[in-house]
Amino acid sequence: MKTDRVLCVTLTLATCTLSALAVSTSANASTVVTFDDLTGDNLLVPDGYGGIQWDNNWTYYGFEQNPYTPESIPNRIYGNYDKWNGPSSIPFYFASPVIFDGSYFAGSDSSFPVSFSLYNGGTLQATSASLAPSSTPTFLSSGYTGLVDEVRVNWNNGSTVLDNVTYHAAAVPEPASLIGLLGLGAFGVTSKFKRKQKQQVHC
């Protein structure tokens, strides 16, 4: 009877865990920071906007300006000229590590490619491929699926704009892994009770 109760409790825990997993998985969708709900022009992107610390490094604007084409209208961003000008490596930060997918670039200087440098805890984790910007917004993937808390955009500030920054939270364990762990736990508990029952019979 005790063994039956243990198995029942274990199955209940498994059901609750899988329900929680479903919620976690749905919450793991990508976040796309478009800047399009910010009002005004040539203003600093506020810290915390889109879940990112911008640290007065970035400025947004929304008026038409070819070839600095937004991926989603009207706004896109560039480096704050009071801090950055010309060839630069401009950072933004996440409060906790995320998986950074990439963003869109457009601009006029195809001779100066853009790229990402990805950091976690101050240590360089990866560097993306490079992209030659044009008037057509083009997505540059980070090419890295590990966790990062800082992204540096390597480019020629003043000749390129950035739009639709995309990232998502760390992946949760797959259901098969959780079921396997719960199954092992149930097997261990069941075996323990069986041993106890045998000891009681022999006493």
Side-chain angles (χ1 to χ4, degrees), residues 18-33:
L18 291 175
S19 298
L21 177 65
V23 172
S24 299
T25 301
S26 64
N28 199 34
S30 291
T31 297
V32 181
V33 184

Side-chain angles (χ1 to χ4, degrees), residues 57-59 77-82 84 90 155 157-158 160:
N57 287 322
W58 298 90
T59 305
I77 64 173
Y78 61 93
N80 175 10
Y81 286 145
D82 289 339
W84 311 93
I90 310 178
W155 66 358
N157 191 40
T160 313

Side-chain angles (χ1 to χ4, degrees), residues 58 86-91 105 112-119 124 126-131 133 140 151-157 160:
W58 298 90
S88 307
S89 184
I90 310 178
F105 291 94
F112 200 108
V114 298
S115 65
F116 299 115
S117 295
L118 309 171
Y119 290 78
L124 179 65
T127 300
S128 74
S130 60
L131 169 72
L140 175 61
V151 175
R152 298 183 191 176
V153 180
N154 310 308
W155 66 358
N156 188 17
N157 191 40
T160 313

Side-chain angles (χ1 to χ4, degrees), residues 101-185:
D101 300 313
S103 63
Y104 283 84
F105 291 94
S108 62
D109 189 0
S110 60
S111 66
F112 200 108
V114 298
S115 65
F116 299 115
S117 295
L118 309 171
Y119 290 78
N120 195 9
T123 302
L124 179 65
Q125 304 296 314
T127 300
S128 74
S130 60
L131 169 72
S134 71
S135 61
T136 301
T138 305
F139 187 77
L140 175 61
S141 171
S142 73
Y144 181 64
T145 57
L147 295 176
V148 301
D149 58 15
E150 176 184 352
V151 175
R152 298 183 191 176
V153 180
N154 310 308
W155 66 358
N156 188 17
N157 191 40
S159 66
T160 313
V161 293
L162 172 69
D163 199 9
N164 288 17
V165 173
T166 307
Y167 67 93
H168 62 278
V172 295
E174 293 188 9
S177 302
L178 289 174
I179 291 172
L181 289 173
L182 288 168
L184 286 173

Side-chain angles (χ1 to χ4, degrees), residues 36-49:
D36 294 333
D37 57 343
L38 296 173
T39 58
D41 278 311
N42 295 317
L43 299 173
L44 291 175
V45 180
D47 275 340
Y49 177 78

